[in-house]
């Protein structure tokens, strides 16, 4: 595996995210403790952070998003969730660090190469729940649907998580995924969402680092995009607001946090992203 600071594909971004989780876990006041993040990030993750422009070196958006999702998963389990499907799971370690019962079912799906590396790095670790992993190309409709049929067997109230995925898809792929997830076994779909304004800023400030993993999906109508596809919005938490609540914002950003939040159905040019949970 290369240890240069370049991002060759979307899978490489998983190392960057793991490096941010490792940095947070090293803090005395950490919002979560991910003992495996440093191992998973590896030299690749550290090199990417070191080479990244400031907008990608800032850890607070990743940290806040991670904690917000952690909390919503806990709420969903309290509401009867009996399975989590983490699509494009990357180097996520929630099955190893969340307070989960041993008989809770957690399913991860991602591309074969990334899962092979993850299995190797975590071979000596035991998840806190019943964890299975599936190598699948989610862009292949037939493979995706076959995976969902298998992964959802026996579930009655599943939560599907697509953290960090939608931004890399085009509208047609998002629409296809939305249709595929409208199944009786799926109670909730949770994802993070960017405004067009933040997407443009990320592209501008990241120079050429994201050329091999371009940001695509950032609908001008925000959560209304999904409501028009038949989903109902349950939770929307701005990552900025979450970071302020968790005391993770840099000093100058704390002033921005006092400004009115954009309308999540019309985020437009505002610099906004949020964690969203929906039902159908």
């Amino acid at each position: 595996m290369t240890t240069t600071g370049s991002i060759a594909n979307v899978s490489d971004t998983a190392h960057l995210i793991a490096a941010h989780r490792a940095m947070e876990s090293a803090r005395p006041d950490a919002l979560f403790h991910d003992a495996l993040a440093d191992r998973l990030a590896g030299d690749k993750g550290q090199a990417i952070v070191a080479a990244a422009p400031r907008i990608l070196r800032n850890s607070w958006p990743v940290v806040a998003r991670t904690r917000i999702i952690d909390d919503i998963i806990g709420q969903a389990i309290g509401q009867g969730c009996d399975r989590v499907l983490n699509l494009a799971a990357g180097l996520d370690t929630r099955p190893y660090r969340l307070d989960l019962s041993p008989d809770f079912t957690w399913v991860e799906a991602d591309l074969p190469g990334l899962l092979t590396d993850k299995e190797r790095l975590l071979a000596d670790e035991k998840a806190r729940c019943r964890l299975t992993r599936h190598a699948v190309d989610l862009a292949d409709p037939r493979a995706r649907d076959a995976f969902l049929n298998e992964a959802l067997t026996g579930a009655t109230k599943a939560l599907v998580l697509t953290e960090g995925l939608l931004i890399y898809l085009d509208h047609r792929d998002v629409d296809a995924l939305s249709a595929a997830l409208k199944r009786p076994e799926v109670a909730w779909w949770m994802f993070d969402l960017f405004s067009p304004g933040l997407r443009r800023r990320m592209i501008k400030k990241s120079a050429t680092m994201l050329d091999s993993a371009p940001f695509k999906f950032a609908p001008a109508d925000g959560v209304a995009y999904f409501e028009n596809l038949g989903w109902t919005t349950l939770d929307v938490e701005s990552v900025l607001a979450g970071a302020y609540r968790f005391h993770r914002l840099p000093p100058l950003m704390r002033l921005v946090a006092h400004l009115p939040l954009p309308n999540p159905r019309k985020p437009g040019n505002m610099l906004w992203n949020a964690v969203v949970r929906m039902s159908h």
Side-chain angles (χ1 to χ4, degrees):
M1 180 183 295
T2 179
T3 56
T4 66
S6 63
I7 293 177
N9 50 53
V10 173
S11 293
D12 276 350
T13 64
H15 294 273
L16 171 66
I17 300 302
H20 283 312
R21 293 201 315 270
M23 287 186 283
E24 174 65 21
S25 299
R27 292 177 57 128
D29 61 344
L31 295 174
F32 50 81
H33 293 278
D34 189 341
L36 303 173
D38 189 57
R39 183 193 309 180
L40 291 168
D43 293 339
K44 177 68 175 178
Q46 299 304 328
I48 291 174
V49 171
R54 180 181 300 178
I55 199 165
L56 295 178
R57 284 200 314 271
N58 287 334
S59 63
W60 65 264
V62 171
V63 169
R65 183 182 77 182
T66 301
R67 176 57 188 270
I68 291 168
I69 291 174
D70 286 357
D71 291 347
I72 294 177
I73 289 173
Q75 293 168 18
I77 291 174
Q79 295 165 354
C81 174
D82 59 0
R83 189 165 308 186
V84 169
L85 269 62
N86 190 354
L87 308 188
L91 299 175
D92 180 62
T93 62
R94 288 186 177 95
Y96 299 87
R97 63 177 181 82
L98 293 185
D99 184 16
L100 302 169
S101 66
D103 59 349
F104 186 81
T105 299
W106 193 290
V107 183
E108 294 184 344
D110 214 316
L111 296 172
L114 186 63
L115 285 190
T116 297
D117 285 343
K118 188 174 184 179
E119 290 274 9
R120 174 179 55 82
L121 290 167
L122 300 181
D124 60 344
E125 300 294 335
K126 182 174 175 56
R128 298 185 177 186
C129 60
R130 187 185 301 129
L131 170 64
T132 60
R133 295 192 176 99
H134 296 253
V136 58
D137 181 357
L138 296 169
D140 179 341
R142 189 170 297 178
R144 179 196 60 220
D145 292 346
F147 158 73
L148 290 173
N149 287 337
E150 180 180 353
L152 289 168
T153 298
T156 60
K157 209 171 185 181
L159 182 149
V160 177
L161 173 62
T162 55
E163 178 184 15
L165 173 62
L166 301 191
I167 188 69
Y168 298 107
L169 304 182
D170 62 32
H171 287 72
R172 288 172 299 180
D173 290 332
V174 173
D175 291 356
L177 181 60
S178 165
L181 295 180
K182 282 188 179 177
R183 304 170 57 116
E185 308 98 322
V186 176
W188 303 285
W189 180 17
M190 180 160 52
F191 51 83
D192 54 312
L193 189 62
F194 286 70
S195 69
L198 183 56
R199 172 185 171 272
R200 285 192 295 270
R201 182 177 179 83
M202 293 285 288
I203 293 171
K204 180 179 179 180
K205 295 293 185 179
S206 65
T208 61
M209 195 166 212
L210 294 175
D211 285 355
S212 298
F215 285 175
K216 299 178 182 179
F217 183 75
D221 52 352
V223 299
Y225 185 95
F226 299 89
E227 292 169 345
N228 291 333
L229 293 175
W231 293 86
T232 299
T233 303
L234 300 179
D235 303 297
V236 180
E237 179 155 9
S238 158
V239 170
L240 177 72
Y244 180 80
R245 179 164 61 89
F246 298 137
H247 306 291
R248 285 298 178 271
L249 280 182
L252 289 177
M253 293 299 296
R254 294 171 200 163
L255 299 176
V256 178
H258 290 286
L259 298 175
L261 290 172
N263 182 339
R265 292 172 180 82
K266 295 180 180 179
N269 292 321
M270 301 291 285
L271 303 182
W272 175 87
N273 70 311
V275 173
V276 180
R277 179 170 57 150
M278 296 201 150
S279 64
H280 65 89

